[in-house]
Amino acid sequence: MDTLKALIFDVDGTLAETERDGHRLAFNRAFQEFGLPWRWDEGLYGKLLDIGGGKERITYFLKRYRSDFQPPMELEVLVKKLHMAKTAHFKALLETGGIQPRPGVLRLIQSAQKRGIRLAIATTSAPANALALLTSVFAPEAPSWFEVIAAGDMVPAKKPAPDIYQYVLDHLGLPPEACVAIEDSRQGLLAATTAGLATAVTVNDYTRHHDLALADLVVNHLGEPSEPFEVLQGPKEFGYFFTLDLAQYLLINR
Ligand code: XBP
Ligand code: MG
């Protein structure tokens, strides 16, 4: 029997709702700082989220929506500078305390720690952003809870490519049959399932309409005893919140 050894968490949208009121605002503040007249509203940002990675997202936006833009320097250099500024704005936004963990995330992490289930992170975000999120939303020592934090450009291809999950599995020294991924989007789901992982998806406003047919479980959030989750796809007989027993069930029945 495949036995659960590790949980691998996505970051943005999964640990916390960071996109609409975090990353999106940070991009806009960076554009403003550079005197650029671009503002990403909530609707446009939803479309841009199909492109993982901040630098890749800016580059795609320019190609798709501002093809007449004449960069004042080499485009790649400008994008890197904008992204550095965006990272600083994102950290500053986190420090204001407006972004909280999603329901059930901390409970699940703590129960995994108690049961000796290993933890890892697989995110498209830059390492600095992932670390800032962990420390400001959870605890200063939160990065040490995760044996592997795989992020951003550590791999050549971002989600939906499976590279970041393969990196995590290699560094954990575990086969995919021993791990469950927790994601919030179709891009993340594709990355995890292509790497061979059973995957639970916790949807949010930007992702609930995604095609998530490949997921082993789709819920509105991980749930708490006091805040039951809603199972949108997958087994419904496991009570009211995501547990390690449910993760084990997903492994065996994928
Ligand atoms: C989220 C992303 C990222 C963030 C911005 O990935 O797609 O691009 O929006 O991150 P995930 P950076 O859900 O896999 O964590 O600006 O740091 O690239
Ligand atoms: Mg995500």
Side-chain angles (χ1 to χ4, degrees):
M1 183 179 94
D2 293 328
T3 303
L4 180 71
K5 300 262 170 52
L7 294 176
I8 309 174
F9 287 89
D10 167 51
V11 172
D12 296 293
T14 298
L15 297 183
E17 305 273 17
T18 50
E19 294 291 5
R20 191 190 61 196
D21 302 327
H23 289 294
R24 183 182 70 89
L25 297 186
F27 283 111
N28 284 338
R29 287 180 189 180
F31 300 151
Q32 194 167 17
E33 185 186 326
F34 278 67
L36 294 163
W38 314 324
R39 296 298 173 267
W40 291 352
D41 63 29
E42 290 177 20
L44 172 61
Y45 194 67
K47 293 182 194 144
L48 295 175
L49 278 174
D50 285 348
I51 311 300
K55 294 191 288 290
E56 292 82 354
R57 191 168 299 148
I58 298 170
T59 307
Y60 170 82
F61 166 76
L62 291 175
K63 244 194 218 157
R64 169 81 174 72
Y65 297 97
R66 295 288 186 278
S67 52
D68 55 347
F69 173 65
Q70 299 290 331
M73 60 190 85
E74 206 188 317
L75 184 61
E76 205 180 322
V77 176
L78 175 66
V79 169
K80 272 193 186 150
K81 284 177 188 264
L82 278 170
H83 191 250
M84 274 170 65
K86 179 255 164 179
T87 296
H89 286 295
F90 182 67
K91 280 190 192 166
L93 271 163
L94 287 173
E95 278 158 22
T96 65
I99 291 181
Q100 296 299 314
R102 292 196 69 188
V105 171
L106 191 57
R107 173 190 56 73
L108 181 62
I109 288 172
Q110 288 170 343
S111 66
Q113 287 170 325
K114 274 189 209 137
R115 285 254 298 262
I117 303 293
R118 299 161 71 188
L119 298 170
I121 294 277
T123 176
T124 297
S125 274
N129 288 333
L131 291 175
L133 182 96
L134 291 173
T135 53
S136 71
V137 168
F138 294 100
E141 73 281 9
S144 71
W145 301 344
F146 300 90
E147 243 176 87
V148 182
I149 298 183
D153 297 327
M154 284 180 188
V155 289
K158 293 190 169 140
K159 298 174 190 175
D163 302 30
I164 200 80
Y165 279 102
Q166 271 152 3
Y167 180 103
V168 169
L169 293 170
D170 287 350
H171 284 74
L172 287 174
L174 289 174
E177 293 78 18
C179 309
V180 169
I182 303 178
E183 273 286 353
D184 74 304
S185 69
R186 174 169 168 79
Q187 291 87 333
L189 170 66
L190 288 174
T193 52
T194 307
L197 291 153
T199 307
V201 177
T202 59
V203 294
N204 51 52
D205 286 347
Y206 274 134
T207 66
R208 71 182 77 251
H209 305 298
H210 284 186
D211 175 358
L212 302 170
L214 283 174
D216 299 278
L217 178 78
V218 180
V219 289
N220 58 341
H221 51 68
L222 291 175
E224 298 281 6
S226 60
E227 191 179 357
F229 66 15
E230 193 187 334
V231 176
L232 306 170
Q233 177 184 312
K236 288 196 165 64
E237 62 272 27
F238 272 88
Y240 303 105
F241 51 93
F242 191 94
T243 59
L244 296 171
D245 290 345
L246 174 50
Q248 175 65 59
Y249 177 91
L250 297 180
L251 261 194
I252 297 170
N253 293 283
R254 71 215 180 92

